[in-house]
Amino acid sequence: MLQISEKSMQAFKDACAKLGHTDALPNVDGLPADKGLYTQAVYMLATIVEAQKEGNVRDITNHSERKYEPYFYAEEGYEPGSGSGGFSFSVTNSGGTYSCVGARLSSNSHVDARDIALEYPDLYEIFILNIK
């Protein structure tokens, strides 16, 4: 069963404090459990990434400006919430790689993208793999 870790919850609260936001999570009453968890994880991840960027917002219309995002994949035998190598990521720093979506979750550098992927794999796992 996928769930949000205490580490990610604390990072979210810290990010909210840094940005001057309330740390209340979206009300997901009435949603199926998987979609409620997804909604909260995406909100938390977007808040954490925004705080990490420290106001340096990427222009999604400027295709010559690099945007860095971790790229995740599930290996054969993946089981939700396993936390093992079945759910992994890589970060690309290639001039030939383009992202047409997800710019809100892009980081300022490949190092920042790698660090956030290593710190909060539970949020990314929910965001990428928890919708049926």
Side-chain angles (χ1 to χ4, degrees):
M1 175 72 176
L2 294 173
Q3 60 184 17
I4 296 170
S5 70
E6 287 297 320
K7 179 179 181 178
S8 293
M9 188 61 72
Q10 186 58 53
F12 168 70
K13 290 177 180 180
D14 294 345
C16 287
K18 181 176 183 177
L19 296 169
H21 299 168
T22 177
D23 62 7
L25 289 172
N27 182 349
V28 295
D29 291 345
L31 292 179
D34 63 329
K35 290 174 181 62
L37 184 63
Y38 170 85
T39 300
Q40 290 181 335
V42 171
Y43 180 70
M44 291 173 67
L45 192 56
T47 302
I48 292 168
V49 171
E50 181 182 353
Q52 179 199 52
K53 292 197 280 192
E54 299 193 0
N56 186 1
V57 179
R58 299 293 191 206
D59 177 0
I60 62 170
T61 64
N62 181 354
H63 300 292
S64 65
E65 181 181 69
R66 287 188 178 204
K67 296 152 189 79
Y68 302 90
E69 301 168 4
Y71 176 82
F72 290 86
Y73 55 93
E75 297 172 353
E76 186 174 338
Y78 163 78
E79 291 189 26
S82 64
S84 68
F87 178 68
S88 304
F89 79 96
S90 65
V91 178
T92 183
N93 191 14
S94 167
T97 302
Y98 299 95
S99 174
C100 297
V101 297
R104 181 181 182 110
L105 295 178
S106 65
S107 295
N108 291 332
S109 70
H110 70 279
V111 172
D112 287 348
R114 180 200 65 217
D115 290 349
I116 207 160
L118 287 171
E119 290 294 317
Y120 314 109
D122 56 317
L123 296 179
Y124 277 106
E125 187 174 11
I126 293 165
F127 169 53
I128 294 172
L129 299 175
N130 195 36
I131 295 295
K132 296 175 179 133

